[in-house]
Amino acid sequence: MGLLSDMSEEDRREVLDSGRVRRFAAREVVFHEGDPADTFLLIEAGRLAVRAVSPAGDTVTFGVFGPGEVVGELALISDGGRRSATVVALEATEVRSFTAATFHRLRRTNAGADAFVLRTLAADVRRLSGLLLDALYLPVETRVLRRLADLEPRYRRGVVGPTAVPLTQDELASLAGASRATVNRVLRGAEAEGLVELRRGRILVVDPDGLRRRGDE
């Protein structure tokens, strides 16, 4: 569970019991950019997207997070912190919401909490640096395929068969920094190659290894 992984089972259960279960419908906003940062969320089911609006008015998605991952904790580090991005449920999602007081208590009493924050910051820097390099140096077609290949393991259920990625083409476009028309063209080409199958409101990844190879070209 990341933030709670270094705790004893008894302490972990105490912390979990202190959280409030919240449920969000697909496309529901969890919190907005600029909102007061007074909670952090542990995802128990479903997936959340972290987004912001560019100066040009385009929606940019920085990442997709799923079960076992924590969202919103970094804004709690500074007093009076504000949310740096908007978080939206991509599907029906259940989280456990914890107060800022719980977060700061964990940092005081659990040596692993600060280490978790540092690991999370380092991972975010690596991930965002990679996205920046892709945006600067890779063709948009390659970015679309890479973002879809990156998403596939998050939705894979360990069964034989295609992986259903329940994102719209608009949502994939916001991840790849592309227009919807470009995403549609790239996906149609990938479908012709037997890598994906397009369905209403979702993409079936038929050949994840082939998709990843195409994204690495």
Side-chain angles (χ1 to χ4, degrees):
M1 288 189 178
L3 182 59
L4 310 182
S5 61
D6 293 331
M7 302 176 67
S8 68
E9 183 59 35
E10 181 180 356
D11 289 345
R12 186 184 302 117
R13 177 48 52 192
E14 180 183 352
V15 172
L16 288 174
D17 288 344
S18 73
R20 180 164 67 97
V21 175
R22 300 181 64 192
R23 296 178 178 87
F24 300 93
R27 318 306 169 197
E28 185 176 354
V29 175
V30 177
F31 51 73
H32 291 275
E33 181 179 359
D35 283 352
D38 53 5
T39 58
F40 70 96
L41 309 176
L42 173 65
I43 304 171
E44 297 197 325
R47 288 164 184 83
L48 301 177
V50 178
R51 296 174 172 167
V53 177
S54 75
D58 298 316
T59 298
V60 179
T61 299
F62 297 119
V64 174
F65 299 89
E69 295 184 293
V70 174
V71 172
E73 78 289 351
L74 296 182
L76 302 178
I77 294 175
S78 60
D79 292 334
R82 295 277 173 175
R83 302 296 187 189
S84 60
T86 295
V87 170
V88 179
L90 291 175
E91 57 199 77
T93 299
E94 181 174 303
V95 304
R96 203 173 288 262
S97 176
F98 301 92
T99 65
T102 298
F103 177 74
H104 293 306
R105 177 167 62 84
L106 283 173
R107 293 184 64 207
R108 288 193 305 270
T109 60
N110 178 19
D114 273 345
F116 168 81
V117 171
L118 290 173
R119 288 197 304 269
T120 301
L121 282 170
D124 279 349
V125 169
R126 287 194 299 270
R127 180 173 55 82
L128 293 174
S129 296
L131 292 176
L132 177 61
L133 286 172
D134 284 359
L136 290 174
Y137 297 109
L138 290 182
V140 63
E141 294 82 359
T142 302
R143 295 202 307 270
V144 171
L145 296 175
R146 278 198 178 186
R147 297 293 80 82
L148 183 57
D150 290 342
L151 285 170
E152 187 273 334
R154 290 185 171 273
Y155 289 94
R156 189 186 304 153
R157 299 187 183 276
V159 297
V160 176
T163 299
V165 178
L167 296 185
T168 66
Q169 293 186 24
D170 284 325
E171 288 166 335
L172 183 56
S174 75
L175 273 166
S179 68
R180 187 189 183 284
T182 298
V183 168
N184 183 265
R185 174 173 56 80
V186 173
L187 291 179
R188 291 294 178 189
E191 187 173 41
E193 295 179 46
L195 303 177
V196 304
E197 294 178 8
L198 303 185
R199 297 287 188 272
R200 184 179 181 84
R202 59 185 177 142
I203 304 162
L204 298 182
V205 179
V206 178
D207 182 359
D209 292 335
L211 179 66
R212 189 164 296 280
R213 284 194 298 270
R214 286 283 284 107
D216 288 339
E217 290 178 356

